[in-house]
């Protein structure tokens, strides 16, 4: 009998990411100034009313998209249209819901929002997958094209450039009573705790982790990404697996777009622009290998958290004093750091693969 100990390697990798999160939070705590808030002095970074609204809540939809991107990356593909799918899903959700009465029942509004957003995301995910498989074109080229096409569709069809249109609002049962609902009770009422995005993200992460680790379909994704030819000879329908991961990625982008639309109560033609870099960075930093065959849902969540902590830290810090030298930072530095994080993560993955290959030869 042969035992599969791959879950131990995954746990070690995720444990390493948790350590990185702790180190980043520790550094930002000590590097941040003390500010006067609500009658007391508190750390500008390590305070609930910074971490919840500025890190964990906006991280929620980014983490969901990072999980979707991880599905595709594990299979050996790439999808850079995810920001455009996110944007058009958010726009589609708002376009439909803005035509409902402001007092429309949650029993009707919320299921409709899920159907519209997830339907749009899965449809365009299916288009991406079908083009990759049918035309046998590299996923980067296909999704580069659909990224531009979807952004163009949004610009052409949404004449107001921002929704809801003039004089219209979204039903409160979807916005302030659901996605952007604030807990006005308990010990954290003052912290503007909005738990729904985080709850949806956790539920999606748990479902994705179960799918990847405990189902035949999840194992097929790893098999295709690890060795496509071997997977094909073992009887796996490789083309269907490729289409399926793009559909799942579209589902994730649709869900994320719906959450964003409900949280902000609006969407515009620029929604999701530039998200491709951040989402892929989160997936790669979370342990997904661009060579395929490697990645986890929990790792994607931790990768998104690391990216958001970096962005938030840069927003808060004005300067970092290293004793010998003082570095002045601004928001623009986040792009540099995210880019470096992608290169570092890929370099480490390549070196690790090369080291393992040499050990096998020896």
């Amino acid at each position: 009998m042969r035992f599969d100990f791959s879950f131990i390697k995954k746990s070690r990798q995720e444990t390493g990411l948790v350590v990185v999160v702790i180190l980043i939070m520790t550094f930002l705590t000590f590097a941040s100034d003390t500010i006067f808030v609500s009658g007391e002095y508190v750390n500008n970074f390590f305070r609930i009313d910074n971490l919840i609204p500025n890190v964990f809540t906006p991280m929620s939809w980014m983490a969901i998209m990072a999980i979707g991107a991880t599905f595709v990356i594990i299979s050996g593909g790439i999808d850079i249209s995810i920001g455009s799918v996110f944007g058009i899903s958010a726009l589609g959700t708002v376009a439909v819901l803005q035509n409902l009465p402001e007092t429309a029942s949650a029993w009707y509004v919320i299921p409709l929002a899920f159907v519209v957003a997830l339907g749009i995301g899965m449809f365009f995910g299916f288009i991406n997958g079908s083009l990759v498989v049918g035309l046998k074109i590299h996923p980067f080229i296909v999704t580069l094209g659909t990224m531009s096409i979807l952004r163009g569709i949004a610009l052409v069809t949404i004449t107001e450039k921002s929704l809801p249109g003039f004089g219209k609002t979204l039903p409160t049962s979807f916005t302030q009573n659901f996605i952007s609902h604030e807990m006005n009770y308990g010990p954290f009422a003052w912290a503007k705790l909005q738990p729904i995005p985080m709850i949806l993200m956790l539920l999606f992460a748990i479902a994705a982790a179960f799918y990847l680790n405990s189902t035949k379909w999840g194992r097929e994704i790893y098999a295709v990404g690890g060795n496509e030819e071997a997977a094909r000879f073992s009887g796996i329908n490789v083309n269907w697996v490729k289409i399926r991961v793009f559909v799942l990625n579209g589902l994730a982008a649709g869900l994320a777009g719906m959450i964003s639309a409900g949280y902000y109560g609006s969407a515009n033609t620029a929604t999701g622009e530039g998200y491709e870099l951040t989402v892929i960075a989160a997936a790669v930093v979370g342990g997904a290998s661009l060579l395929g065959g490697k990645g986890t849902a929990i790792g994607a969540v931790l990768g998104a958290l690391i990216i958001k902590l970096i962005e938030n830290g840069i927003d808060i810090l004005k300067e970092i004093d290293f004793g010998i030298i003082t570095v002045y930072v601004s928001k623009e530095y986040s792009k540099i750091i995210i880019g470096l994080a992608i290169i570092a993560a890929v370099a480490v993955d390549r070196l690790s693969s090369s080291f393992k290959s040499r050990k096998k030869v020896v």
Side-chain angles (χ1 to χ4, degrees):
M1 183 181 291
R2 185 177 180 181
F3 294 95
D4 182 9
F5 294 103
S6 61
F7 71 94
I8 296 177
K9 295 179 181 179
K10 295 175 184 177
S11 298
R12 286 176 180 172
Q13 185 178 50
E14 290 161 1
T15 301
L17 290 170
V18 171
V19 172
V20 172
V21 168
I22 293 172
L23 290 175
I24 291 173
M25 293 184 71
T26 302
F27 170 76
L28 292 175
T29 299
F30 283 103
S32 298
D33 295 329
T34 299
I35 60 173
F36 190 74
V37 179
S38 302
E40 61 178 338
Y41 287 96
V42 295
N43 186 271
N44 196 19
F45 167 76
F46 199 74
R47 51 190 174 92
I48 293 176
D49 54 335
N50 171 55
L51 292 175
I52 290 177
N54 299 328
V55 177
F56 294 114
T57 300
M59 181 206 89
S60 301
W61 51 85
M62 197 63 68
I64 289 172
M65 286 193 286
I67 293 171
T70 297
F71 278 111
V72 178
I73 293 172
I74 291 172
S75 73
I78 193 76
D79 185 352
I80 60 171
S81 70
I82 190 166
S84 296
V85 177
F86 168 87
I88 204 164
S89 297
L91 282 166
T93 303
V94 176
V96 171
L97 297 188
Q98 71 175 359
N99 296 310
L100 299 178
E102 188 177 353
T103 57
S105 170
W107 294 103
Y108 174 68
V109 172
I110 294 175
L112 179 62
F114 273 96
V115 169
V116 171
L118 271 59
I120 292 172
M122 293 173 71
F123 172 76
F124 287 114
F126 178 77
I127 295 297
N128 277 335
S130 298
L131 289 173
V132 169
V133 170
L135 299 178
K136 300 188 184 304
I137 302 175
H138 194 281
F140 179 87
I141 302 300
V142 170
T143 56
L144 177 64
T146 54
M147 176 182 71
S148 181
I149 291 169
L150 294 180
R151 192 61 64 183
I153 290 173
L155 290 168
V156 169
T157 56
I158 308 300
T159 55
E160 296 94 344
K161 306 304 177 188
S162 181
L163 296 176
F166 181 75
K168 296 181 179 180
T169 57
L170 296 182
T172 55
S173 57
F174 175 64
T175 53
Q176 65 190 54
N177 293 337
F178 180 47
I179 299 295
S180 60
H181 171 69
E182 282 189 15
M183 290 181 63
N184 295 317
Y185 50 86
F188 301 118
W190 56 274
K192 295 183 179 180
L193 177 61
Q194 295 169 302
I196 300 301
M198 289 180 280
I199 291 172
L200 291 175
M201 180 267 291
L202 288 173
L203 291 175
F204 187 77
I206 291 169
F210 176 81
Y211 181 88
L212 285 172
N213 298 326
S214 304
T215 69
K216 170 190 173 184
W217 305 289
R219 291 191 293 272
E220 286 178 346
I221 297 173
Y222 284 107
V224 171
N227 190 322
E228 184 175 321
E229 285 303 310
R232 182 175 284 109
F233 284 123
S234 68
I236 295 174
N237 189 332
V238 173
N239 288 341
W240 168 235
V241 171
K242 289 183 177 182
I243 292 174
R244 192 167 70 220
V245 295
F246 277 100
V247 171
L248 290 170
N249 190 33
L251 183 149
L255 176 60
M258 185 204 74
I259 295 172
S260 173
Y263 182 77
Y264 293 113
S266 64
N268 59 63
T269 53
T271 296
E273 268 190 1
Y275 276 21
E276 299 81 18
L277 173 64
T278 306
V279 169
I280 293 173
V284 172
V285 170
S289 172
L290 292 175
L291 298 175
K294 181 181 173 185
T296 67
I298 304 304
V301 172
L302 292 171
L305 177 56
I306 289 171
I307 297 298
K308 273 298 171 186
L309 284 172
I310 292 171
E311 290 180 349
N312 180 248
I314 289 173
D315 286 341
I316 287 176
L317 298 178
K318 304 300 180 186
E319 60 183 44
I320 305 175
D321 187 1
F322 290 103
I324 301 175
I325 186 173
T326 299
V327 178
Y328 296 92
V329 295
S330 62
K331 192 172 183 178
E332 290 73 19
Y333 278 80
S334 63
K335 299 294 184 183
I336 298 174
I337 294 174
I338 291 172
L340 290 173
I342 293 175
I343 295 172
V346 173
V348 168
D349 181 57
R350 287 293 181 96
L351 289 172
S352 176
S353 298
S354 177
F355 179 72
K356 288 178 183 177
S357 297
R358 289 177 182 175
K359 283 184 68 177
K360 288 180 181 178
V361 171
V362 174

